[in-house]
């Protein structure tokens, strides 16, 4: 990531980039929340002239995305006319494909859930019935007749998968999914833009720019396997092959027990063996050592813990991870906060579908 100097989060006064500038203003208005922002504040925040802001705001207002929010308190000169986001103007759908259930939400432009549903699912039954279930869920959440179609559908699925191509990899226990182009098939069936991402990435996207995963955060998942979602300076980090977050296969014990990945002594096999023995404090201690390696490497603000093993006994895992972090001399001066993830992988998936609408304040410009 290249932060360049000056340009930073700013917009650029060029007609070719009007889509970008619109996204910058929408990002500022979303971050500000009610009652909204004056044009001068928007110009400041976006690095645009007030005239440019007025033109862009007029386009956004014509699309119904922003509206005048009355007069704000005067800052000395004439009273400011505030502009606000119209959250209900558009919506997005997020879908979480778990091994045994499908959860879906419809969110407004502010990322607030306006409808949700949950149905049993057999992910192992393979692509065809699962695609049907997603299509049905999206239809069920479309809202009243006359509501504009969702701006997009975000789908969170178990990894590995290729985020760029939207193709599933060899998901452990589900060989019939390998190579299936889920994003393309869903986009064709739904007639909508679809984003496909790993469930762990959606988990760390939950809540958007102001959410629990904001800043530099890691989400650590303990379920049938161990994985991680990484958010670095606000951006999901997927890696060159969409394979970032293989947190569970860091080696903690060089001659340890064999792991299903073919290695030995991986964090995953050590931690899940302890879980299987019923020794949760030991599982938490092992998870904590892995978390401490990650924290030392990435210097994170927040560690979020989730997955069914954690959710069954969150206190033991939060305590164990905190203790492991505090015991590392290099990170004990200002250890990151450790908490149970608030859940909401479907919400995170919806957030990924909203992402193209916004450039969030503080986000480095794309392409540097
Ligand atoms: Zn392994």
């Amino acid at each position: 990531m290249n932060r360049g100097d000056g340009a930073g989060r700013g917009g650029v006064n060029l007609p070719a980039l009007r889509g970008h500038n619109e996204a910058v203003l929408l990002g500022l208005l979303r971050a500000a929340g009610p009652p909204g922002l004056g044009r001068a504040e928007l110009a400041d925040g976006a690095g645009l002239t007030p005239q440019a802001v007025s033109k862009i705001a007029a386009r956004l207002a014509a699309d119904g995305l922003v509206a005048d929010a009355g007069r704000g308190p005067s800052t000395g000169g004439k009273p400011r006319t505030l502009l606000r986001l119209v959250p209900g103007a558009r919506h997005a759908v997020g879908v979480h494909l778990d091994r045994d259930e499908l959860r879906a939400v419809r969110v407004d432009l502010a990322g607030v859930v306006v409808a949700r549903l949950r149905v049993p699912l057999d992910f192992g039954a393979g692509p065809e019935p699962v695609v049907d279930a997603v299509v049905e869920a999206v239809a069920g959440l479309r809202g009243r007749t006359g509501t504009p179609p969702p701006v997009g559908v975000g789908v969170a699925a178990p990894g590995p998968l290729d985020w760029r191509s939207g193709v599933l990899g060899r998901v452990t226990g589900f060989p019939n999914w390998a190579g299936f182009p889920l994003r393309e098939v869903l986009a064709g069936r739904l007639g909508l833009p679809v984003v496909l991402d790993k469930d762990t990435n959606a988990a760390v996207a939950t809540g958007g720019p102001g959410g629990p995963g904001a800043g530099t955060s890691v989400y650590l998942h303990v379920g049938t396997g161990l994985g991680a979602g990484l958010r670095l300076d606000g951006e999901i980090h997927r890696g060159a092959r969409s394979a970032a977050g293989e947190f569970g296969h860091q080696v903690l014990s060089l001659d340890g027990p064999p792991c299903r990945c073919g290695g030995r002594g991986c964090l995953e096999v050590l931690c899940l063996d302890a879980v299987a023995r019923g020794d949760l404090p030991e599982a938490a201690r092992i998870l904590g050592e892995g978390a401490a390696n990650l924290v030392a490497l990435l210097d994170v603000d927040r560690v979020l813990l989730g997955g069914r093993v954690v959710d069954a006994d969150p206190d033991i895992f939060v305590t164990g991870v905190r203790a492991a972090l505090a015991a590392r001399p290099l990170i004990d001066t200002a250890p990151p906060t450790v908490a149970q993830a608030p859940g909401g992988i479907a919400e995170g998936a919806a957030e990924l579908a909203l992402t193209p609408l916004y450039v969030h304040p503080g986000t480095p410009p794309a392409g540097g």
Side-chain angles (χ1 to χ4, degrees):
M1 278 185 272
N2 175 7
R3 279 188 184 280
D5 51 351
R9 66 188 173 179
V12 181
N13 287 297
L14 290 174
L17 293 178
R18 60 187 253 182
H20 172 80
N21 287 337
E22 288 171 351
V24 169
L25 290 202
L26 288 174
L28 288 167
L29 290 173
R30 181 178 177 191
L37 292 173
R39 282 170 174 74
E41 291 161 297
L42 283 168
D44 260 6
L48 294 166
T49 64
Q51 292 85 341
V53 166
S54 289
K55 272 188 198 167
I56 299 161
R59 282 200 295 268
L60 292 171
D63 287 339
L65 297 169
V66 304
D68 277 339
R71 297 284 165 95
S74 167
T75 49
K78 55 184 179 177
R80 310 175 297 151
T81 305
L82 297 178
L83 209 61
R84 67 175 176 89
L85 187 69
V86 180
R90 300 284 190 284
H91 57 268
V93 171
V95 178
H96 176 203
L97 299 176
D98 207 346
R99 286 150 199 273
D100 53 9
E101 71 174 4
L102 178 158
R103 291 186 190 220
V105 294
R106 181 158 67 97
V107 303
D108 67 16
L109 284 183
V112 174
V113 175
V114 291
R116 61 173 77 238
L117 65 79
R118 183 175 173 177
V119 292
L121 180 82
D122 178 7
F123 190 74
E128 207 175 306
V130 171
V131 166
D132 287 346
V134 174
V135 171
E136 206 171 300
V138 173
L141 287 173
R142 271 206 169 188
R144 290 187 303 274
T145 319
T147 310
V151 294
V153 176
V155 178
L161 57 81
D162 187 326
W163 174 72
R164 286 179 186 79
S165 64
V167 174
L168 272 289
R170 293 182 182 283
V171 186
T172 306
F174 302 104
N176 48 355
W177 278 96
F180 185 76
L182 181 58
R183 188 186 66 204
E184 193 186 311
V185 169
L186 280 175
R189 288 280 302 273
L190 294 166
L192 295 169
V194 173
V195 181
L196 173 70
D197 213 334
K198 291 199 280 193
D199 43 15
T200 45
N201 289 342
V204 84
T206 301
T216 291
S217 306
V218 296
Y219 166 80
L220 306 181
H221 183 94
V222 188
T224 49
L226 264 71
L230 311 175
R231 189 145 150 185
L232 309 180
D233 295 330
E235 299 280 305
I236 306 288
H237 179 76
R238 299 179 175 90
R241 296 162 201 81
S242 303
E246 281 301 337
F247 165 74
H249 300 287
Q250 55 175 299
V251 175
L252 287 189
S253 170
L254 288 182
D255 300 307
C259 177
R260 65 181 168 93
C261 72
R264 295 189 82 92
C266 295
L267 170 62
E268 179 178 295
V269 64
L270 297 172
C271 182
L272 293 183
D273 277 0
V275 171
R277 292 197 303 275
D279 189 351
L280 292 188
E282 177 65 1
R285 188 173 79 95
I286 295 164
L287 180 67
E289 288 304 321
N293 289 345
L294 203 55
V295 168
L297 188 68
L298 298 175
D299 187 12
V300 309
D301 302 316
R302 246 175 249 100
V303 178
L304 300 167
L305 307 178
R308 288 179 194 193
V309 171
V310 168
D311 292 341
D313 231 320
D315 290 348
I316 288 185
F317 284 94
V318 169
T319 305
V321 170
R322 268 192 202 135
L325 294 182
R328 291 280 181 107
L330 286 176
I331 48 184
D332 71 350
T333 48
T337 54
V338 180
Q340 184 185 14
I345 291 178
E347 285 88 332
E351 196 59 53
L352 295 172
L354 286 177
T355 299
L357 293 181
Y358 298 107
V359 170
H360 295 298
T363 305

